[in-house]
């Protein structure tokens, strides 16, 4: 998606070969009208899939998932990273290792909100090693829900996660990074 | 706001006198068209305030903040609950005790995205003891940003947080709970 690639080139900050900061417009400060354009593109890509629910994971996936959900007219469900004292015990649960935070989280959704009638579009801001997506797919498998695909804002295509997840379901990434370093960034086209 | 009070009576789940679960439509599964109605009401309440930025705290504040931001045409900034390895070191930081999770979090925003020219509307899903709001107000004070007010979805008016925060700034809560137990719920009007 050219609009996104141009914005990443303009406002993204590259640290070494692994970290792309997009915290001025996606995952700390959020440019909501810009996210609306991403949401419309996800709708265009998945409009024939009969999506009934958008699933994401807290925290930075929530913004893009909610904005996209407006175009699909379906609810969002966000997986929670720890069991708080008021989510209840009737949960699907999986383990997700976080590249960004360097830890492993227990990730849960309430059984009430995901079931065998759901056709789920998973949305997240980043795809690197694929741990978060595989965890969300596992939650859908436990619920016997159908995963129609994953919609990703930025995929670091050289980290292998996309390849692994594509063996399981359709993945559409709005920008796919082939290579980056402090000299610049190249996208897969 | 009658629409919200009716929805809470219909779909909220009361556990004892302290916990109101609204996880079927606000903070786990999210009814996005319903949040749009809340967002429009925040716009009506604060439209004369010249808001330049909406500030919230991860995770469950992000959805309502992003939806509301569409009506204000301003960016969202969400405070992060722990210092991840790619947010940078140039941060405003404060401590927030969580009623829901029973712990204390270091809460941060990047100095780049909050400054003395900002007129900030703080948005969150719940107001109980007021710890999160006081933390967000502290971050704005550090940045010398002006807090024009707080927009809250559900205030538990009997827990004292609203009283404390109103000494500092305007607070508009779309539903204010006077009392609740397993027999029912009463709102402040």
């Amino acid at each position: 998606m050219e609009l996104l690639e141009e914005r990443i080139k303009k406002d993204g900050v590259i640290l070494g070969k692994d970290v792309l900061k997009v915290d001025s417009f996606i995952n700390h400060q959020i440019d909501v009208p810009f996210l609306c354009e991403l949401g419309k593109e996800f709708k265009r890509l998945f409009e024939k899939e009969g999506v009934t629910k958008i699933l994401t994971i807290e925290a930075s996936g929530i913004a893009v998932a909610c904005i996209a959900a407006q175009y699909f007219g379906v609810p969002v469900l966000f997986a929670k990273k720890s069991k708080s004292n008021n989510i209840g015990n009737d949960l699907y649960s999986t383990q997700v290792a976080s590249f960004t935070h360097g830890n492993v989280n227990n990730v849960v959704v309430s059984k009430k909100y995901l079931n065998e009638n759901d056709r789920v579009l998973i949305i997240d801001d980043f795809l690197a090693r694929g741990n978060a997506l595989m965890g969300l797919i596992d939650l859908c498998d436990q619920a016997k829900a159908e995963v129609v695909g994953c919609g990703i804002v930025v995929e670091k295509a050289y980290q292998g996660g996309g390849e692994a997840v594509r063996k399981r379901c359709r993945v559409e990434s709005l920008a796919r990074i082939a290579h980056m370093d402090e000299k610049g960034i190249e996208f897969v086209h």
Side-chain angles (χ1 to χ4, degrees), chain A residues 14-20 156 158-159 179-182:
Chain A
I14 298 164
L15 300 178
K17 295 189 175 185
D18 273 344
V19 176
L20 172 66
K156 295 191 248 178
Y158 55 90
Q159 287 192 320
H179 173 80
M180 63 181 181
D181 59 27
E182 275 147 30

Side-chain angles (χ1 to χ4, degrees), chain A residues 30-46:
Chain A
I30 300 167
D31 180 341
V32 175
F34 181 77
L35 254 58
C36 290
E37 297 308 312
L38 308 185
K40 289 175 197 168
E41 181 66 5
F42 286 131
K43 170 67 176 172
R44 190 186 69 77
L45 289 164
F46 290 100

Side-chain angles (χ1 to χ4, degrees), chain A residues 109-124:
Chain A
V109 295
S110 173
K111 291 184 181 177
K112 279 184 289 192
Y113 307 127
L114 197 61
N115 65 55
E116 71 275 12
N117 297 316
D118 277 316
R119 293 179 58 80
V120 178
L121 172 60
I122 295 171
I123 283 190
D124 207 358

Side-chain angles (χ1 to χ4, degrees), chain A residues 1 4-5 38 41-42 45 152-154 172-176:
Chain A
M1 189 188 185
L4 175 60
E5 292 180 6
L38 308 185
E41 181 66 5
F42 286 131
L45 289 164
I152 302 298
V153 181
V154 181
E172 298 284 354
S173 301
L174 303 186
R176 299 186 69 206

Side-chain angles (χ1 to χ4, degrees), chain A residues 14-27:
Chain A
I14 298 164
L15 300 178
K17 295 189 175 185
D18 273 344
V19 176
L20 172 66
K21 290 178 64 173
V22 289
D23 65 358
S24 65
F25 60 108
I26 290 180
N27 55 17

Side-chain angles (χ1 to χ4, degrees), chain A residues 68-129:
Chain A
Q70 295 182 107
Y71 303 104
F72 286 89
V74 302
V76 168
L77 179 64
F78 69 88
K80 300 198 173 195
K81 279 184 183 164
S82 67
K83 191 177 168 307
S84 70
N85 66 13
N86 64 2
I87 196 178
N89 293 314
D90 209 17
L91 305 168
Y92 297 116
S93 173
T94 194
Q95 300 275 312
V96 174
S98 169
F99 171 71
T100 310
H101 296 86
N103 59 6
V104 176
N105 287 296
N106 195 37
V107 170
V108 300
V109 295
S110 173
K111 291 184 181 177
K112 279 184 289 192
Y113 307 127
L114 197 61
N115 65 55
E116 71 275 12
N117 297 316
D118 277 316
R119 293 179 58 80
V120 178
L121 172 60
I122 295 171
I123 283 190
D124 207 358
D125 55 346
F126 270 94
L127 166 53
R129 289 172 171 77

